[in-house]
Amino acid sequence: TLALDDWFNIKGDENLRINYDLNAESIVFDVGGYKGNFTNLIHSKYKCKIYVFEPMPQFYDILISKFKNHNNINIFNFGLSGNDKSTQLFINDNASSVYSKTLETEAVNIYLKSITEFIKDHEIDNIDLLKLNVEGGEYEILESLIQFQVLNKISNLQIQFHNFVPNAIKMRESIRKNLAKTHKLTYDYYFVWENWVLK
């Protein structure tokens, strides 16, 4: 709660999350595209090439409609993960997650693709900014990037860790230790947002 208060006090969404050394040649991954607000802000400011990943059908449709006239914004109707799989997403607007099942929660079938395989298949040599907001899925994604030694392809990692996942604190600590081998922490708001830049 204190970290969230601090984030809002400094207007982190305006002052930190969209300020990067990007240009029209940059590549950005928006993992957890939701309704496209982050993609819209980044594209408006830098005109860079953006890959948007959104497994929820209704949000994907919004993204397609919003960015239909932008050839350098690529939208995919699947999420990213550590490996290819089909699963269920439990619907809760921008907090929809594969980890938040309740008896009352409506679910939708979705597909997740291996992030490392996607990078390989699309012959992407460098990602200038990887934004992760996937309601618990960030742990598996980051562990995969670490395991397959892909971190050195990513200049900036903007991560929102979520604490409702089992063993979240320990997993976050372990991931951060590995991130520190290749990247430097530039800001850190506990379980709100943090950013790592390639050394």
Side-chain angles (χ1 to χ4, degrees):
T1 300
L2 292 174
L4 188 60
D5 288 344
D6 288 343
W7 178 261
F8 287 131
N9 286 336
I10 66 154
K11 299 182 179 178
D13 288 324
E14 303 169 26
N15 296 321
L16 293 177
R17 291 194 60 214
I18 61 171
N19 289 325
Y20 291 91
D21 184 17
L22 303 174
N23 55 51
E25 303 301 317
S26 301
I27 292 178
V28 174
F29 274 30
D30 184 356
V31 188
Y34 187 44
K35 297 179 181 179
N37 182 56
F38 181 77
T39 285
N40 185 56
L41 291 171
I42 290 291
H43 186 265
S44 296
K45 188 170 183 178
Y46 303 106
K47 310 301 181 189
C48 46
K49 184 173 184 177
I50 306 179
Y51 294 82
V52 188
F53 304 90
E54 179 49 63
M56 174 80 81
Q58 68 188 72
F59 299 152
Y60 171 78
D61 291 341
I62 291 171
L63 291 167
I64 289 292
S65 176
K66 181 177 288 187
F67 301 117
K68 60 184 177 182
N69 296 321
H70 298 285
N71 294 329
N72 57 347
I73 298 178
N74 306 278
I75 303 166
F76 301 91
N77 192 199
F78 54 79
L80 295 179
S81 188
N83 51 65
D84 295 354
K85 57 188 172 184
S86 296
T87 187
Q88 285 191 313
L89 184 72
F90 303 103
I91 301 172
N92 185 19
D93 196 44
N94 66 342
S96 298
S97 172
V98 299
Y99 297 97
S100 55
K101 181 179 180 180
T102 68
L103 292 175
E104 300 81 18
T105 307
E106 182 183 354
V108 60
N109 294 323
I110 61 166
Y111 183 70
L112 303 176
K113 185 171 179 60
S114 161
I115 185 169
T116 56
E117 287 301 311
F118 182 92
I119 291 170
K120 180 181 177 181
D121 292 346
H122 287 76
E123 299 180 338
I124 297 172
D125 294 322
N126 181 72
I127 300 169
D128 296 281
L129 171 59
L130 171 64
K131 167 249 173 181
L132 276 176
N133 186 5
V134 286
E135 303 302 316
E138 63 275 4
Y139 299 99
E140 190 170 336
I141 290 172
L142 290 164
E143 286 167 355
S144 179
L145 292 172
I146 293 165
Q147 178 185 352
F148 292 100
Q149 300 180 345
V150 184
L151 285 177
N152 60 356
K153 291 179 177 283
I154 306 170
S155 299
N156 284 277
L157 292 118
Q158 182 186 121
I159 309 165
Q160 184 171 92
F161 284 105
H162 294 82
N163 61 6
F164 56 78
V165 178
N167 298 315
I169 293 175
K170 289 184 177 180
M171 287 193 297
R172 176 177 178 267
E173 289 175 354
S174 175
I175 288 169
R176 283 162 55 91
K177 286 180 181 178
N178 280 290
L179 284 175
K181 297 174 183 178
T182 55
H183 289 68
K184 180 177 69 174
L185 187 66
T186 58
Y187 61 80
D188 180 13
Y189 292 80
Y190 189 63
F191 282 101
V192 181
W193 283 107
E194 59 192 73
N195 190 83
W196 295 78
V197 63
L198 189 65
K199 291 179 181 177

